[in-house]
């Protein structure tokens, strides 16, 4: 069973978080629905970590298993097509060994806080470095 690593970005404003929940739409649910619409398979998309409601991601890693191999670019493009109009984008898809696990194989996680300080967002300050 081929396994694929996905690199994902999303605007989490309209989501209850990463994980499937009964009280609203999640990023995980949107991805799983898009994969199902593409190839008819019911899959579980496993994220490297979970985000809370309203949290955004710039490069979150996830993995999924399919029953048949598909070209990574086809998987990326098809899932993105079926995600529309959700504010989620698969930036990359690549085959990985069966023992790859998005959560357990992660070597680091980076979280950036967003707030206002001296009329500049902390996100911009983190991206540009100190002293801006």
């Amino acid at each position: 069973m081929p396994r694929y690593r996905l690199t994902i970005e999303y605007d989490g404003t309209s989501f209850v978080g990463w994980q499937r929940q009964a009280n609203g739409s999640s990023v995980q649910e949107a991805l799983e629905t898009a994969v199902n619409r593409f190839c008819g398979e019911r899959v579980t998309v496993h994220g490297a970590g979970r985000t809370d409601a309203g949290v955004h991601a710039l490069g979150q890693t996830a993995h999924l298993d399919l029953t048949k191999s598909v070209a990574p670019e086809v998987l990326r493009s098809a899932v993105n097509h079926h995600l529309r109009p959700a504010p989620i984008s698969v930036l990359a898809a690549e085959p990985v060994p069966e023992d790859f696990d998005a959560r357990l194989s992660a070597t680091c996680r980076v979280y950036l806080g967003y707030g206002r300080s001296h009329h500049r967002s902390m996100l911009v300050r983190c991206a540009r470095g100190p002293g801006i």
Side-chain angles (χ1 to χ4, degrees):
M1 184 171 278
R3 179 165 287 187
Y4 295 88
R5 173 173 46 203
L6 305 178
T7 304
I8 306 157
E9 71 177 11
Y10 53 86
D11 177 338
T13 303
S14 61
F15 296 106
V16 295
W18 167 267
Q19 190 172 8
R20 253 179 278 106
Q21 297 180 44
N23 65 329
S25 297
S26 72
V27 176
Q28 181 184 38
E29 177 185 13
L31 287 162
E32 291 169 352
T33 299
V35 171
N36 181 261
R37 288 180 180 157
F38 159 56
C39 63
E41 294 187 42
R42 292 199 182 275
V43 301
T44 299
V45 178
H46 303 272
R50 295 181 291 185
T51 56
D52 293 332
V55 174
H56 315 306
L58 298 175
Q60 184 165 354
T61 298
H63 79 266
L64 60 88
D65 297 320
L66 296 177
T67 58
K68 293 188 281 186
S69 292
V70 61
E73 182 58 29
V74 170
L75 176 61
R76 186 193 69 79
S77 296
V79 172
N80 281 335
H81 172 78
H82 290 288
L83 280 168
R84 291 184 189 124
I88 304 171
S89 182
V90 177
L91 303 175
E94 59 185 296
V96 291
E98 286 185 20
D99 64 346
F100 174 84
D101 182 283
R103 184 173 61 86
L104 300 176
S105 300
T107 57
C108 75
R109 291 175 177 86
V110 177
Y111 299 92
L112 297 175
Y114 178 81
R116 292 281 188 191
S117 177
H118 298 87
H119 305 291
R120 293 186 184 210
S121 76
M122 291 196 50
L123 184 60
V124 170
R125 290 177 56 182
C126 289
R128 293 185 183 167
I132 58 169

